[in-house]
Amino acid sequence: MSEQSAAAGRPRILFIVSSAHQLTMKDGTLLTTGFWAEELLVPYHAFTQAGFDVKFTTPAGLVPQPDPRSLTAQDGADLDHIPDLRTPLVLDDVEAGGYEAVFIPGGHAPMEDLATDRMAGQLITQALAAGKPVGAVCHGAAALLAARRDDGTPTVAGYRVTGFTDEEERQGGLADNMRYLLEDKLVELGADFVEGPAFQPHTETDRNLHTGQNPQSSGRIAADMLEALGR
């Protein structure tokens, strides 16, 4: 059996990945960014080793780039061995029904595009309504900002969540020049934001929504989702 036909028989998980390469700062400068390598690679390996076929989608099908600050030599080699990451699906063409779960890795890039992407929000809302696990780690939770129910209310309202905190943004030195802070926006939309110690593993699960606070939470959120998927 070919690798392609073997993959066709496996249950699939959809990774919604930012294709932004720069983050627009409050003062108008552009910060080079992308997805955070650890936050994509750790869950990717966990899911594929558990027997899932991971598919990637980005806005307009643009090839995503890792944040240079997140890369080790090993990460770069690992990313080079994921050919589907170089040929992502066009986000507007994706339907949630073909996937067992949805996952959004972070890096600052989602703050630039996924936070306002209608289709990303729609896929998240549909998956949650269908009872499928939805996961987001670190700034990947910015995609929740775009999610709306049919009546227009924020999908994340009433959910207990976490994500990259204001304190972590301050410790990282970017808070004062950010156009908005993720924690503040999630709270503004009615989420119950739970903050753990800065840069320590911390995840929250509320119904079928799984969120991780920071890069250090990448392995734990994958484990949370695999447990929900019965693996």
Side-chain angles (χ1 to χ4, degrees):
M1 180 181 293
S2 70
E3 182 177 347
Q4 183 175 3
S5 59
R10 299 202 302 265
R12 301 191 300 173
I13 293 178
L14 181 68
F15 275 39
I16 302 176
V17 185
S18 169
S19 59
H21 301 170
Q22 296 176 315
L23 179 68
T24 306
M25 307 303 288
K26 187 191 302 183
D27 64 3
T29 59
L30 298 175
L31 175 73
T32 298
T33 187
F35 66 84
W36 200 260
E38 178 182 7
E39 296 168 14
L40 185 146
L41 284 168
V42 171
Y44 172 82
H45 288 309
F47 294 144
T48 54
Q49 288 168 11
F52 290 93
D53 182 24
V54 171
K55 296 297 183 185
F56 301 94
T57 185
T58 65
L62 298 174
V63 178
Q65 299 293 328
D67 188 316
R69 296 172 299 168
S70 73
L71 280 178
T72 65
Q74 183 59 55
D75 288 339
D78 285 352
L79 291 170
D80 285 342
H81 284 87
I82 308 177
D84 285 354
L85 192 57
R86 296 191 291 274
T87 56
L89 303 170
V90 176
L91 186 54
D92 282 353
D93 296 340
V94 172
E95 296 183 1
Y99 300 90
E100 301 301 313
V102 173
F103 181 75
I104 308 103
H108 280 93
M111 304 273 282
E112 186 76 15
D113 58 0
L114 298 184
T116 57
D117 192 286
R118 177 192 59 82
M119 182 54 71
Q122 183 174 314
L123 288 170
I124 289 167
T125 302
Q126 290 173 347
L128 287 173
K132 297 180 179 183
V134 173
V137 65
C138 200
H139 292 93
L144 298 172
L145 304 179
R148 293 292 185 275
R149 303 186 181 101
D150 288 342
D151 63 2
T153 59
T155 302
V156 75
Y159 277 92
R160 188 178 68 255
V161 303
T162 192
F164 204 68
T165 65
D166 292 358
E167 176 58 27
E168 287 168 323
E169 209 71 83
R170 281 190 286 270
Q171 290 190 25
L174 294 177
D176 289 344
N177 200 24
M178 294 286 289
R179 287 177 294 136
Y180 65 93
L181 297 176
L182 178 59
E183 176 183 342
D184 292 350
K185 280 291 186 182
L186 289 167
V187 171
E188 182 181 309
L189 293 183
D192 176 14
F193 192 95
V194 181
E195 178 179 354
F199 300 107
Q200 296 298 314
H202 172 225
T203 61
E204 292 290 335
T205 292
D206 187 348
R207 289 157 278 179
N208 53 318
L209 179 60
H210 308 270
T211 47
Q213 181 170 315
N214 43 38
Q216 293 79 8
S217 306
S218 300
R220 185 176 294 182
I221 192 172
D224 291 348
M225 292 185 69
L226 285 171
E227 181 178 357
L229 288 162
R231 298 298 178 99

